[in-house]
Amino acid sequence: RNAQGEITHLESQQGKLEAHHFVLSPGTTGSALLRGTGCENLVHGVLGIWLQIPNLEPQMRHSIKIHRDGHKVEDINITVAKDGETGEDILVFGGAYGYVGLDRPAPDSAELRALYDELEEVARIYFPAGYAAAKQRGPQAMYPGGHRKLCVRPFTPTGLGVFERAPTAAGGQLVITGGNNTGGFAQAPAVARAILRAFAGEHDPIHVLFHPDR
């Protein structure tokens, strides 16, 4: 920033990044980038894991959600899909949503292993044939790449994303956005419109609704 508080450039491994406008959407790993802004410490992570099994006859035709009270993994999304490499009909299980803040769980942690075991148990109970087929084929069939993977999604306490603006020295704006929870894909067109309107000096409801001081 310069003496007037305007953004002059961003620091990067490639050196200074200078532009008229900037858009930052750092997810859960870029919290350091938000220091000194209104969005500092507002975007935290929520864990998600998944596995897949063959969608055998009688095949599932529609994606569903299973809810089980009192279990480690209470909500499981089961999505009807096709394997991107083989074209096989598959079921993708996703769940185990848990708050991790600004950290990442150790891949060999007992807690994470317990969540994977629970998700496999759901697959075994409700789709025994598909689960047995995946187990027989080995980890490659159940976990693409052959090993268990996870994602950490950017969430905020209110369930709404963030949208902050700061002036740049070149007369433009730096826009911070993100934290859009599981609705990020659905909200993306509206967020993109809000960014374009910010650059054009026009009003958009998201500028107020997603403001960090809302």
Side-chain angles (χ1 to χ4, degrees), residues 108-179:
D108 58 347
S109 67
E111 293 90 347
L112 196 54
R113 288 198 304 271
L115 294 177
Y116 276 111
D117 290 344
E118 180 94 358
L119 203 59
E120 286 196 28
E121 181 71 359
V122 172
R124 185 191 65 79
I125 292 172
Y126 294 99
F127 302 92
Y131 175 76
K135 289 293 283 187
Q136 187 174 21
R137 297 179 191 177
Q140 184 72 34
M142 190 169 294
Y143 301 102
H147 58 277
R148 293 173 169 181
K149 299 178 182 179
L150 59 89
C151 66
V152 178
R153 305 174 184 180
F155 269 61
T156 65
T158 60
L160 293 177
V162 294
F163 196 100
E164 181 179 357
R165 296 177 288 172
T168 67
Q173 292 190 54
L174 178 143
V175 173
I176 299 171
T177 185

Side-chain angles (χ1 to χ4, degrees), residues 27-145:
T28 60
T29 59
S31 59
L33 195 60
L34 302 183
R35 287 177 186 156
T37 72
C39 293
E40 182 176 0
N41 290 327
L42 290 187
V43 179
H44 286 203
V46 170
L47 172 77
I49 63 174
W50 62 90
L51 61 85
Q52 70 181 44
I53 64 173
N55 187 6
L56 302 180
E57 295 292 344
Q59 286 190 337
M60 288 279 293
R61 302 298 180 185
H62 302 283
S63 301
I64 63 172
K65 180 187 287 285
I66 294 177
H67 178 79
R68 305 198 309 160
D69 284 328
H71 291 265
K72 298 183 185 73
V73 182
E74 290 195 336
D75 292 296
I76 303 98
N77 293 311
I78 303 174
T79 305
V80 175
K82 284 187 178 292
D83 187 286
E85 295 184 359
T86 66
E88 180 183 26
D89 292 314
I90 58 172
L91 299 175
V92 179
F93 292 68
Y97 310 115
Y99 172 75
V100 295
L102 299 178
D103 297 322
R104 290 292 177 106
D108 58 347
S109 67
E111 293 90 347
L112 196 54
R113 288 198 304 271
L115 294 177
Y116 276 111
D117 290 344
E118 180 94 358
L119 203 59
E120 286 196 28
E121 181 71 359
V122 172
R124 185 191 65 79
I125 292 172
Y126 294 99
F127 302 92
Y131 175 76
K135 289 293 283 187
Q136 187 174 21
R137 297 179 191 177
Q140 184 72 34
M142 190 169 294
Y143 301 102

